[in-house]
Amino acid sequence: MKLKPNTILFITSFIPVIVFKVVSRVGEATLAQAKVATVVGLILAGIQFALSKRFIKHTSYLEKTFLGFLGIGTAWVYLTPPRFSSLFVDHSTMLLYFALFLTTLIPQLFGYDPFTYTIAKQMAPERVWNTPQFRTINLHLTYFWSGIFFTNFLLSWLGGGKPLFSILIPLIIILGIGLPGVRIYPNYYLKRQFTSQPIDPSLLPDTGKELISQMPLGFHPEAAGHLKAEIQFDLTGRGGGKMVLSIAEGQCTVREGETPSPTLTIISPADIWLKITRREIDPARALMDGLYEVKGDMNLLMKMGDLFRPPMKVKGKEVTQKEEKRVKILAIQGSPRPKASNTEILLQEFLKGAQSQGAETETIYLKEKDIHSCVGCYTCWAKTPGVCVYKDDMPELLEKVRCCDIIVYATPLYNFNMTSLMKAFQERLLPLLDPHLVKSGDAYRHPQRYEVNRKMVLISTCGFPEISHFDGLRHIFRHIERNGGVPLIGELLMPAAELLKQEGLRENIQGVFQTSYRAGVEVIRDGRISQETETEIKKPLVATDEMAEMANLWWDSHLEGITQGKPTQGRTEDMRLLLRGMAATFNAQVAGDLRATIQFEVTGKQTGDWFFSVENGKCTYHEGKVDSPTLTIKTPSEIWLSIANKEMDGQQAFMEGKYTATGDMSLLMRLKSLFGSQRS
Ligand SMILES: Cc1cc2nc3c(=O)[nH]c(=O)nc-3n(C[C@H](O)[C@H](O)[C@H](O)COP(=O)(O)O)c2cc1C
């Protein structure tokens, strides 16, 4: 491995203080010796500082802190009386932690770059230095290090300078908490930032150039305010071109060509920009990975997500957000576990799709509302027409229902029906109906008390893989439709929805997100969810038997205490479940006529042997060992699970020897494409 000058100089920056500590401590450790030690340390720190200035663009605060510390120390031991000067030597470690604590705390308070920012700059490419993400991550990490140095300072102080407290435990904290924190946090932060789900590519323009030329259609003037800017796109490769977006006075226009002084220039392969717009890749991560380049105002780049909605394809024409009055969607969410709900996942993707077409949306979580059940007193029909006896949250909700254009009922399936929360809500809609019986077609119904133009969408998820579980609910909604005269313009019904929480099925789950998003687009664009979309969402993520096997494995794992989390948490924690899930997402098309066995020899927390057998376009999962496997992967369970949960990069883990593979290495390289197929 070839070390860069940055890295070498970062490592050597510790030498002066180490030499100082060693020299001042060897032998009798007299004051005279300490005086020599400070001078030697100071000279080394001076050399280090000069070398850094000479060979690297940005010196970190470490060199300055060490130079300052040794400079003050030298002055201290030479210029003060012996009784006082020995204090520096006796407490030098504690003082060093304190100096580091101040270095990590003070600069950012006075507008200077934070501590880790200056170090990270030496490691990261220049193009990312000014991104808000890079700055924020480093600010957080700097405060994290303040905490570490302050803890070490306290330990050293309270421990009376004993090596256990001033060296051993602090070192454990630095190596065991500090360094892993620095490695893990940036990915964690970026992952949390990028929570958007991909947009179905068929809804977006096909080439980068078309995409840019349609960006003004998705322009959001409110977000732009008084912004005046020119954004130069230089999209390379197929479907690329040079385009300029001009933003001024709440308007956005586009033209081909170049502008002499762009506010922001984006140089990107056309396909990368398409992927970013489709939300398949995180723009900040892609920039850090050098997939595209940016010059100019980075803040404008970061604002682009607010300034532009993705321009959608429309049959025959493109959507302009300003064309029509915005459709109001009121979503009623009836899951008793609203924030960890499967139904919520579908609902929010659906709403995002609708928003992309200009709809205005609001979600009501019934679990958070005070809604008394209907007592059947009919006061709302007789004594106070249209007004219920209960003054809970329902009167306000009735107003919202009356004002919306589309009401979305999103309920999990409970006992083949809607949840009791949803049922209570629907019963309390009674004041909106008139008591009389009026014949409509071949049946009588209650007419609406007020004029109604709204439409209705049903979204539901259930646990079992059979779609027939929804039969009762669908039947009920047909009645609601007929009785209330509110047309049902689509239903998104997803069976086996607990699989939405299986990280191992991530690729398949993306398909569900896309379908839900498309449903939202269709409802606004076409006035209803298409048959195709309704059918698509009903397809179980994996085959019925496999799903049952995975569910049973999950419960076994839960009962055995391997899966620690509640059923609502999305991390895969069980190797069996993970491998079972992998086998279920086997991509027969990619495999072709592949015949192979893949052995997993798993050590660590969850020891065991499992293997896949691939034959005739099928992959089966087995426990135990197979004779002469085509590929053998030996891994600690924690490593493979981290890779599957996207907390660790598989290739990097392999390079670092965190797991090993023997046999057909080309098969190892193909694993990613062989598993994780979309539903067929
Ligand atoms: C009390 C109860 C009853 C359920 N009844 C059914 C059912 O009849 N059929 C079914 O397939 N799933 C049933 N389930 C599973 C849920 O429908 C399924 O887990 C759903 O995705 C949960 O949605 P949520 O995460 O949005 O709350 C039931 C769950 C509970 C807690």
Side-chain angles (χ1 to χ4, degrees):
M1 190 175 59
K2 213 173 150 217
L3 287 177
K4 289 192 208 145
N6 290 352
T7 319
I8 297 172
L9 285 164
F10 175 70
I11 296 168
T12 55
S13 63
F14 293 90
I15 291 178
V17 276
I18 294 172
V19 169
F20 156 71
K21 285 297 303 176
V22 172
V23 175
S24 64
R25 287 270 155 208
V26 286
E28 295 297 304
T30 59
L31 184 58
Q33 194 179 325
K35 285 185 172 177
V36 176
T38 48
V39 173
V40 173
L42 183 61
I43 293 170
L44 288 177
I47 296 172
Q48 166 77 28
F49 189 67
L51 287 175
S52 293
K53 276 242 165 257
R54 167 93 179 72
F55 291 110
I56 55 179
K57 214 168 173 183
H58 297 268
T59 52
S60 78
Y61 294 158
L62 265 185
E63 288 113 337
K64 290 177 194 155
T65 308
F66 292 152
L67 186 64
F69 170 75
L70 289 163
I72 292 173
T74 308
W76 189 333
V77 292
Y78 278 93
L79 301 180
T80 59
R83 213 156 45 91
F84 193 60
S85 57
S86 64
L87 279 179
F88 177 77
V89 187
D90 294 344
H91 299 290
S92 59
T93 313
M94 179 185 90
L95 291 170
L96 181 60
Y97 289 134
F98 194 67
L100 287 167
F101 165 63
L102 292 181
T103 313
T104 49
L105 189 68
I106 306 286
Q108 61 272 21
L109 301 181
F110 291 93
Y112 292 99
D113 290 338
F115 173 73
T116 65
Y117 184 80
T118 58
I119 299 175
K121 261 170 134 176
Q122 297 181 8
M123 321 282 171
E126 196 160 347
R127 63 177 174 274
V128 303
W129 292 353
N130 283 327
T131 59
Q133 284 85 352
F134 189 73
R135 287 195 160 269
T136 312
I137 288 170
N138 277 296
L139 188 65
H140 292 177
L141 283 176
T142 295
Y143 283 122
F144 169 66
W145 279 104
S146 299
I148 287 187
F149 289 134
F150 191 68
T151 311
N152 288 352
F153 160 70
L154 284 181
L155 277 169
S156 190
W157 182 23
L158 300 174
K162 290 197 186 89
L164 175 68
F165 294 104
S166 61
I167 296 178
L168 196 63
I169 300 180
L171 260 183
I172 293 174
I173 293 178
I174 289 173
L175 298 178
I177 300 175
L179 296 186
V182 170
R183 278 186 75 93
I184 295 164
Y185 186 71
N187 278 338
Y188 167 78
Y189 179 86
L190 290 172
K191 208 172 148 190
R192 278 187 58 131
Q193 284 255 306
F194 189 63
T195 50
S196 302
Q197 299 307 332
I199 298 173
D200 183 346
S202 69
L203 298 171
L204 288 170
D206 302 321
T207 67
K209 200 169 163 190
E210 272 176 326
L211 187 83
I212 306 299
S213 62
Q214 291 174 20
M215 277 177 78
L217 297 172
F219 181 63
H220 200 197
E222 294 88 13
H226 298 295
L227 178 70
K228 195 170 182 313
E230 288 216 300
I231 306 174
Q232 173 76 58
F233 279 91
D234 185 353
L235 299 187
T236 55
R238 226 156 63 99
K242 291 192 179 178
M243 316 277 288
V244 181
L245 285 178
S246 296
I247 302 171
E249 294 169 4
Q251 304 259 347
C252 177
T253 53
V254 65
R255 64 179 190 276
E256 270 193 55
E258 288 180 78
T259 174
S261 48
T263 324
L264 171 72
T265 304
I266 297 170
I267 306 159
S268 169
D271 61 327
I272 293 291
W273 199 254
L274 270 174
K275 281 187 179 164
I276 288 173
T277 311
R278 288 178 198 149
R279 307 203 197 125
E280 287 169 8
I281 49 178
D282 171 6
R285 180 87 258 175
L287 182 64
M288 291 198 186
D289 292 345
L291 297 183
Y292 69 102
E293 256 183 73
V294 173
K295 290 179 202 154
D297 185 349
M298 295 303 285
N299 289 327
L300 180 55
L301 177 77
M302 295 305 147
K303 232 185 136 193
M304 280 183 65
D306 300 330
L307 289 175
F308 299 97
R309 294 197 191 95
M312 297 289 167
K313 272 189 202 163
V314 174
K315 288 170 190 158
K317 59 169 190 164
E318 263 70 43
V319 171
T320 61
Q321 311 271 336
K322 293 166 244 162
E323 253 174 26
E324 288 158 20
K325 169 182 156 292
R326 294 182 77 187
V327 175
K328 271 193 199 154
I329 299 186
L330 179 70
I332 307 294
Q333 211 268 38
S335 171
R337 45 179 197 180
K339 296 279 146 51
S341 147
N342 301 324
T343 318
E344 169 77 355
I345 298 175
L346 260 57
L347 170 65
Q348 291 310 325
E349 282 311 308
F350 171 86
L351 294 180
K352 277 187 213 161
Q355 284 159 6
S356 76
Q357 302 295 296
E360 200 181 304
T361 66
E362 181 179 0
T363 306
I364 304 293
Y365 296 94
L366 293 179
K367 176 78 179 149
E368 292 165 5
K369 296 288 171 193
D370 173 25
I371 300 175
H372 200 287
S373 54
C374 176
V375 289
C377 64
Y378 292 113
T379 306
C380 63
W381 277 4
K383 223 170 163 183
T384 53
V387 180
C388 178
V389 285
Y390 287 111
K391 304 290 168 253
D392 49 14
D393 287 334
M394 205 55 203
E396 188 193 338
L397 294 180
L398 285 180
E399 278 315 298
K400 287 184 191 281
V401 172
R402 283 187 59 194
C403 295
C404 74
D405 301 304
I406 298 175
I407 183 162
V408 180
Y409 291 108
T411 174
L413 194 74
Y414 272 21
N415 297 7
F416 309 97
N417 204 328
M418 64 189 82
T419 59
S420 51
L421 287 170
M422 187 61 93
K423 184 81 176 18
F425 172 82
Q426 293 206 343
E427 285 170 10
R428 291 286 303 281
L429 294 177
L430 202 66
L432 298 183
L433 295 179
D434 179 280
H436 299 95
L437 300 186
V438 176
K439 192 149 192 183
S440 164
D442 55 357
Y444 282 95
R445 65 180 177 95
H446 293 300
Q448 292 281 349
R449 180 179 298 282
Y450 311 100
E451 196 193 326
V452 167
N453 288 315
R454 68 177 171 275
K455 306 198 169 62
M456 184 168 66
V457 170
L458 168 64
I459 298 183
S460 185
T461 63
C462 78
F464 282 89
E466 293 88 11
I467 195 71
S468 60
H469 275 246
F470 290 113
D471 287 352
L473 185 72
R474 295 184 66 199
H475 197 64
I476 289 168
F477 269 81
R478 296 279 171 273
H479 277 292
I480 293 175
E481 179 182 31
R482 210 172 46 222
N483 197 46
V486 177
L488 183 64
I489 55 170
E491 38 182 47
L492 278 185
L493 305 174
M494 185 192 176
E498 290 301 339
L499 292 174
L500 282 174
K501 311 237 172 68
Q502 289 298 329
E503 274 289 317
L505 300 181
R506 184 184 276 252
E507 305 295 324
N508 303 37
I509 293 169
Q510 299 293 355
V512 176
F513 290 146
Q514 290 186 357
T515 311
S516 308
Y517 186 97
R518 191 170 70 217
V521 171
E522 288 171 351
V523 152
I524 304 299
R525 190 185 67 185
D526 311 332
R528 64 158 302 120
I529 303 177
S530 69
Q531 278 276 314
E532 191 196 348
T533 303
E534 288 188 348
T535 310
E536 183 66 26
I537 202 91
K538 284 180 195 154
K539 288 183 192 162
L541 282 176
V542 298
T544 307
D545 295 342
E546 286 176 323
M547 180 267 153
E549 209 180 311
M550 285 178 74
N552 290 337
L553 271 177
W554 192 91
W555 282 109
D556 285 345
S557 159
H558 198 62
L559 294 168
E560 288 162 19
I562 297 169
T563 305
Q564 297 291 335
K566 293 185 197 141
T568 51
Q569 288 172 341
R571 195 180 182 279
T572 305
E573 287 161 296
D574 187 318
M575 273 307 279
R576 291 169 301 181
L577 195 50
L578 171 64
L579 295 176
R580 187 66 196 83
M582 268 177 82
T585 63
F586 177 70
N587 193 328
Q589 272 176 357
V590 172
D593 57 0
L594 177 70
R595 227 186 117 126
T597 47
I598 306 171
Q599 178 74 54
F600 287 86
E601 292 182 15
V602 181
T603 52
K605 276 196 189 146
Q606 208 188 345
T607 305
D609 297 310
W610 295 277
F611 68 92
F612 293 155
S613 176
V614 178
E615 204 173 358
N616 300 330
K618 284 210 161 73
C619 173
T620 48
Y621 154 91
H622 310 267
E623 268 193 65
K625 282 203 168 182
V626 62
D627 287 338
S628 349
T630 323
L631 171 71
T632 303
I633 294 171
K634 293 187 184 176
T635 177
S637 55
E638 302 81 270
I639 296 294
W640 204 258
L641 286 165
S642 293
I643 295 170
N645 286 310
K646 306 269 188 266
E647 296 154 2
M648 193 183 274
D649 180 68
Q651 267 185 14
Q652 199 180 334
F654 179 67
M655 305 293 246
E656 290 171 2
K658 292 196 166 118
Y659 69 93
T660 60
T662 46
D664 183 351
M665 296 306 278
S666 65
L667 188 53
L668 179 73
M669 300 300 143
R670 287 180 71 193
L671 277 193
K672 215 171 168 181
S673 59
L674 282 172
F675 298 97
S677 66
Q678 299 270 335
R679 295 181 295 179
S680 56

